[in-house]
Amino acid sequence: MPSPTSPASAISGTETSVPLLPCVSAEATLEFYQALGFVVTYQMTKPYLYLALRWRNVDLHFGKASKGLDPAEENSGGCLVMVDAVEPYHRVFTEALRAKYGKVLGTGRPRITRFRPGQSRFSLVDPSGNNILFIQRDEPEELEYGGSKKLTGLAKAIDNARILREFKNDDKAAARALDIALAKFGAEAPVVDRARAIAARLELAIAMDDAASGKSLRQQLQALPLAAHERDLLAGELGAAEGLEKWLGDTATTTDKKKSRRA
């Protein structure tokens, strides 16, 4: 222990760390974060740019971005927000965006990444390419990239795709892993594994706005000889694509569909 007269004894242990992130556009940054529910605690654009925003106990500060920064690369800056459970946060931000824009900003930039039951993280990607990552405190400390060593063949590829999708936010890599595995193992894999792989690939096709692949994958999924109890067992995974479409859909479209059903 430090002695009563040492410098360390004067440290209270109540520090607060606030990220200072690059900002390409003050207007776009303020619009996005305020739409999410953040409040502006400080705002200055001249003689230099400085923004401070807060949501509950999350503080984010922004300064002028360097001239060479490309928001499209989406590696401008970042912040980890550790929480007990991520789903409520994702739900609150989803509802806020839908209230502001009539839809969820689930693609492009800015956006909120999608969430599936069991996930332990999601991201807010802002107009400047900053990544605000909400992480559940009890998520696994180690991940088996390439898929669990306890699995083989198509099942292992499905697990690898899950990790690439949920922890790396790399839909393209996840889709590529499933495409390769389906070509290599699909013919001999159990029908349940084929269904899981195709359903996961279909959800990725929707996320990447790949209509042609989506149509083909739907046909493949419908043609699989799954028994009723197998479809019940896989209901969550088989419905992931439809769930994503509903999440991405705007409120006007949803209302129109309801009216058409009543007509």
Side-chain angles (χ1 to χ4, degrees):
M1 293 181 60
S3 69
T5 59
S6 72
S9 67
I11 296 176
S12 66
T14 58
E15 300 84 4
T16 298
S17 178
V18 178
L20 178 58
L21 305 170
C23 175
V24 172
S25 166
E27 182 179 357
T29 296
L30 290 170
E31 179 183 335
F32 177 59
Y33 284 103
Q34 287 181 293
L36 291 166
F38 282 74
V39 296
V40 179
T41 58
Y42 187 82
Q43 178 179 349
M44 180 172 68
T45 55
K46 292 182 179 180
Y48 59 87
L49 173 67
Y50 199 93
L51 306 174
L53 297 106
R54 175 179 296 158
W55 183 83
R56 296 177 66 88
N57 292 318
V58 179
D59 286 283
L60 301 176
H61 290 196
F62 298 86
K64 183 179 179 181
S66 63
K67 292 183 179 179
L69 185 142
D70 183 359
E73 294 182 359
E74 297 187 358
N75 61 3
S76 307
C79 173
L80 306 182
V81 183
M82 310 304 294
V83 299
D84 292 332
V86 295
E87 189 277 335
Y89 292 83
H90 191 270
R91 179 161 26 93
V92 166
F93 290 142
T94 292
E95 292 171 355
L97 290 172
R98 203 180 293 280
K100 170 68 175 180
Y101 299 106
K103 64 178 181 178
V104 178
L105 304 182
T107 58
R109 190 181 61 258
R111 70 179 181 278
I112 179 174
T113 60
R114 62 198 187 281
F115 182 87
R116 293 177 61 165
Q119 269 185 231
S120 58
R121 58 173 62 191
F122 71 89
S123 291
L124 300 173
V125 181
D126 75 11
S128 299
N130 296 304
N131 192 316
I132 313 304
L133 185 58
F134 285 74
I135 302 177
Q136 195 159 298
R137 287 190 175 92
D138 64 354
E139 79 167 15
E141 293 185 5
E142 295 184 7
L143 298 172
E144 294 184 271
Y145 290 103
S148 172
K149 294 180 177 63
K150 297 178 181 178
L151 302 172
T152 59
L154 193 53
K156 185 173 184 178
I158 294 169
D159 190 54
N160 181 38
R162 174 187 64 83
I163 292 171
L164 290 170
R165 180 188 67 225
E166 296 179 8
F167 291 91
K168 298 295 288 183
N169 284 328
D170 195 337
D171 288 344
K172 290 183 178 179
R176 185 165 58 250
L178 288 172
D179 286 341
I180 293 171
L182 280 165
K184 186 175 182 180
F185 305 112
E188 298 179 358
V191 66
V192 168
D193 283 349
R194 293 206 306 276
R196 293 183 62 223
I198 294 172
R201 184 62 180 85
L202 173 58
E203 191 258 2
L204 287 165
I206 292 169
M208 295 187 293
D209 198 21
D210 185 354
S213 294
K215 181 178 180 180
S216 173
L217 289 160
R218 284 185 197 278
Q219 293 172 344
Q220 294 176 46
L221 197 57
Q222 292 170 358
L224 288 176
L226 285 170
H229 73 278
E230 291 172 329
R231 290 191 179 276
D232 290 341
L233 179 67
L234 300 175
E237 292 175 81
L238 295 178
E242 183 179 357
L244 177 57
E245 287 178 323
K246 289 180 179 178
W247 182 70
L248 289 170
D250 59 59
T251 52
T253 300
T254 302
T255 302
D256 290 344
K257 287 181 178 179
K258 288 180 178 178
K259 288 180 178 179
S260 67
R261 291 194 192 103
R262 296 193 193 105

